Amino acid sequence: MPLSHLTHLECSICGERHEADVLQTICTACGRALVARYDLTSAARTFSRESLAGRPWNMWRYAEVMPGDVSSPTTLGEGMTPLLSTPRLGAHAGVPDLWVKDEGGNPTGSFKARGLSAAISRARELGVTDLGVPTAGNAGSAAAAYASRAGIRAHVAMPDDTPSTIMAEVQAYGAELTLVKGTISDAGTYIAQRAAEEGWFVLATLKEPYRVEGKKTMGYELWEQFGDLGDGLPDVVVYPTGGGTGLIGMWKAFDELEAMGLIGSERPRMIAVQAEGCAPIVRAFDLRLDRAEPWEDAQTLAPGIRVPAPFADDL
Ligand SMILES: *Cc1c(COP(=O)(O)O)cnc(C)c1O
């Protein structure tokens, strides 16, 4: 397998450069999200549709553009989920060529597996022993599973009305579970405080640079899978948006693919879908605001997207 071509971290807002070989959270200059940068010119020498063909059937196949020691990641086989043609659903929705990328087949049942595989791999490499994760639910399951796999202690906080199956799963994987009143925002406050007291490393969405590196592999897979169908990228990507990691990650993947000369400048239209009872990004978009106001009294049947105040709203 080729090596990672990770070079440094960069602030997504102010552009400040940060070391990639030490633990990092947010930009020390401006407090916003850091993103990983790669030497894409040298990555492009070995990264191609053909060279990918013989590689492992998980997201670490994109080794050149993944962080850290890509030859021994903390993996449970995440990624390479099926891309399903859905003609009956498409006819019902009035979309003639509708495809579903079924992320439910990931370890712990959601695409949170991708982000946590990447983040926990990197945390383990950089010496973390205890990590804190505020979650609306699914990131807690994934964090507990991957931390267990890595031999790291996980401390997970989630709303007390999260589905009980998720709570059971987190505990079954051996993580410490704390229930809080309110939403993921309140879980975030709790974890930040406990982490400061006890020295945990916090993996909150986009307050840590590598979860997005895992989630971006959805973009690489869309490129690889639609490419195999001879179609290029899809015209439109519709994504259920909470913290925004997946949407931001796929966009980053397309930029990296372009920089490696593998696609042109065209992009799918990216549509962030939120629940009517918790839609801070949709509201900010409609009002043409750069930042999103926190959503009051967030409620939805879809716990995974109940994120009233996403940290990286501007991205
Ligand atoms: C976390 C989650 C989302 C939102 O993902 P982001 O990338 O954080 O926006 C959507 N659906 C499900 C099922 C989730 O678990």
Side-chain angles (χ1 to χ4, degrees):
M1 282 281 278
L3 300 176
S4 169
H5 289 264
L6 179 68
T7 53
H8 63 283
L9 301 171
E10 185 180 275
C11 178
S12 57
I13 303 298
C14 79
E16 177 92 354
R17 194 184 165 106
H18 299 259
E19 287 285 309
D21 286 334
V22 293
L23 279 177
Q24 300 277 9
T25 52
I26 53 178
C27 178
T28 46
C30 76
R32 307 298 299 156
L34 297 180
V35 290
R37 295 296 180 210
Y38 300 81
D39 178 350
L40 294 171
T41 308
S42 38
R45 289 193 200 111
T46 55
F47 191 103
S48 68
R49 193 174 290 289
E50 296 69 38
S51 71
L52 288 173
R55 296 195 191 175
W57 197 257
N58 64 52
M59 70 172 195
W60 294 94
R61 67 202 272 106
Y62 306 114
E64 290 91 336
V65 291
M66 294 296 285
D69 180 5
V70 290
S71 63
S72 60
T74 301
T75 177
L76 295 165
E78 56 293 324
M80 299 310 280
T81 54
L83 183 64
L84 305 172
S85 173
T86 54
R88 280 161 44 77
L89 182 63
H92 176 73
V95 180
D97 195 15
L98 180 65
W99 296 74
V100 170
K101 188 140 171 69
D102 181 7
E103 287 289 293
N106 277 304
T108 68
S110 82
F111 47 33
K112 293 299 188 302
R114 297 176 186 266
L116 273 304
S117 173
I120 291 181
S121 291
R122 201 69 186 120
R124 177 182 51 95
E125 287 161 17
L126 297 175
V128 169
T129 58
D130 283 81
L131 47 86
V133 188
T135 173
N138 285 330
S141 305
Y146 284 87
S148 166
R149 178 76 158 163
I152 291 176
R153 283 180 296 273
H155 308 270
V156 174
M158 63 178 65
D160 60 5
D161 57 353
T162 304
S164 60
T165 45
I166 294 182
M167 298 178 187
E169 193 179 8
V170 168
Q171 287 174 311
Y173 284 124
E176 180 197 22
L177 174 65
T178 304
L179 303 178
V180 300
K181 292 234 168 303
T183 68
I184 186 173
S185 303
D186 303 285
T189 307
Y190 171 82
I191 288 287
Q193 190 187 333
R194 285 283 306 278
E197 288 162 11
E198 312 207 21
W200 306 339
F201 184 66
V202 178
L203 293 182
T205 303
L206 286 153
K207 292 186 180 172
E208 176 283 337
Y210 296 110
R211 280 177 66 178
V212 74
E213 293 305 291
K215 279 242 188 145
K216 82 178 179 187
T217 60
M218 291 190 290
Y220 280 93
E221 286 177 28
L222 290 180
W223 165 75
E224 203 180 351
Q225 291 175 312
F226 277 99
D228 289 344
L229 296 167
D231 262 6
L233 290 173
D235 299 326
V236 180
V237 175
V238 178
Y239 185 78
T241 303
T245 335
L247 208 63
I248 294 164
M250 284 186 279
W251 192 259
K252 183 172 189 283
F254 300 147
D255 282 352
E256 291 172 357
L257 284 164
E258 184 182 0
M260 290 190 284
L262 295 166
I263 61 170
S265 58
E266 72 286 358
R267 292 289 182 274
R269 283 168 57 208
M270 307 290 277
I271 300 187
V273 179
Q274 302 200 295
E276 282 180 17
C278 180
I281 297 298
V282 172
R283 182 172 63 188
F285 184 85
D286 286 344
L287 296 174
R288 303 281 185 272
L289 301 176
D290 292 334
R291 302 298 304 265
E293 290 294 319
W295 192 272
E296 298 292 331
D297 191 23
Q299 286 178 12
T300 162
L301 285 173
I305 52 173
R306 189 171 56 158
V307 183
F311 174 70
D313 52 347
D314 41 0
L315 287 183

